[in-house]
Amino acid sequence: MFTGIIEELGEVVSIEEIGDSSRIRLRGPVVRDGARHGDSIAVNGVCLTVVDTPEQLAAETGEFSADVMAETLHRSSLGELKPGSPVNLERAMALGARLGGHLVQGHVDATGRLLSREPGERDADGNLRWEVLRFSLPESISRYLVEKGSITVDGVSLTVVEAARESFTVSLIPATLALTTLGAKALGESVNLEVDVLAKYVERLLESRTLPNLPNIPNPTNLPNIPNLPVSDSTGESK
């Protein structure tokens, strides 16, 4: 599990195609520090597994490799990466750590594209205080979005400002613009989208909800006569 709080803006070092899958090598000194073979690291919101041996990790400071299978390449935007591409990196959350964003699985539901960027206010020095970005939203996941709800865009935990049928907007503060790939994302570029998993669980439970098997209840007309019993009021007197 992840939180959607990006730890580092990394870089793709190389991509090796292996049949219909790929092995991607990335540079990320922060997330690489202390990494071990088998650890999980989210790359643009996709949970990948470190495949380097302990010796390789020790020898290649700041770099690590991960395998990307065909299904992941098909479902996400990782297939569009090239050497030199910037990527958002986050290590799996530690149990007991602060949940700064929201619960993120690193399982991409769909991809969208950046439709527009609208600058917000500027401070007294002319620096941008926020920017509103609109992304396309596949119909298959639009029902999971609600205003002020959470969504993960390229691994970044964001709050939905407007949830339309085919698009949604988010507001990005300067820190998010500077420390993630979203600050330099060009119009038309694709992003990985992961909706809040809680919404999917609720939908699944509602779909499978059935009434319990109830015992046969006898016809009231066949019930035996029940004598009228005295009823006491609040004073204890029978009526």
Side-chain angles (χ1 to χ4, degrees), residues 28 85-86 94 183 200 222:
S85 295
K200 292 189 286 186
N222 297 328

Side-chain angles (χ1 to χ4, degrees), residues 9-46:
L9 191 58
E11 180 185 8
V12 175
V13 176
S14 63
I15 300 176
E16 178 187 1
E17 295 185 2
I18 307 173
D20 59 357
S21 63
S22 298
R23 175 164 292 184
I24 183 171
R25 190 156 189 82
L26 305 113
R27 181 177 295 110
V30 174
V31 299
R32 158 65 184 78
D33 184 32
R36 299 175 298 176
H37 173 80
D39 282 355
S40 296
I41 295 178
V43 179
N44 278 358
V46 182

Side-chain angles (χ1 to χ4, degrees), residues 207-229:
E207 286 178 349
S208 61
R209 185 178 61 179
T210 57
L211 291 175
N213 294 324
L214 299 176
N216 292 326
I217 300 176
N219 190 323
T221 59
N222 297 328
L223 290 176
N225 292 327
I226 301 176
N228 293 326
L229 299 177

Side-chain angles (χ1 to χ4, degrees), residues 9-165:
L9 191 58
E11 180 185 8
V12 175
V13 176
S14 63
I15 300 176
E16 178 187 1
E17 295 185 2
I18 307 173
D20 59 357
S21 63
S22 298
R23 175 164 292 184
I24 183 171
R25 190 156 189 82
L26 305 113
R27 181 177 295 110
V30 174
V31 299
R32 158 65 184 78
D33 184 32
R36 299 175 298 176
H37 173 80
D39 282 355
S40 296
I41 295 178
V43 179
N44 278 358
V46 182
C47 178
L48 299 181
T49 302
V50 176
V51 299
D52 302 88
T53 65
E55 293 76 16
Q56 290 172 323
L57 285 168
E60 301 293 342
T61 303
E63 297 181 5
F64 66 95
S65 298
D67 288 335
V68 186
M69 58 185 178
E71 175 72 6
T72 304
L73 293 172
H74 173 70
R75 293 275 186 174
S76 73
S77 65
L78 294 190
E80 302 175 16
L81 294 177
K82 302 176 296 183
S85 295
V87 287
N88 297 321
L89 300 176
E90 181 193 356
R91 290 169 289 189
M93 66 180 295
L95 188 63
R98 289 186 175 88
L99 184 59
H102 71 283
L103 291 177
V104 177
Q105 293 182 296
H107 302 163
V108 173
D109 292 301
T111 58
R113 294 191 178 277
L114 178 59
L115 300 178
S116 65
R117 308 183 71 108
E118 296 182 12
E121 293 181 349
R122 294 184 179 274
D123 59 22
D125 297 323
N127 299 314
L128 190 66
R129 296 183 61 184
W130 71 75
E131 190 171 12
V132 179
L133 276 62
R134 180 177 292 277
F135 295 94
S136 64
L137 180 66
E139 184 178 354
S140 60
I141 62 171
S142 64
R143 63 186 181 276
Y144 299 118
L145 266 68
V146 295
E147 292 184 7
K148 304 303 181 290
S150 297
I151 188 170
T152 307
V153 180
D154 267 358
V156 185
S157 173
L158 298 172
T159 300
V160 177
V161 175
E162 176 191 354
R165 182 179 296 276

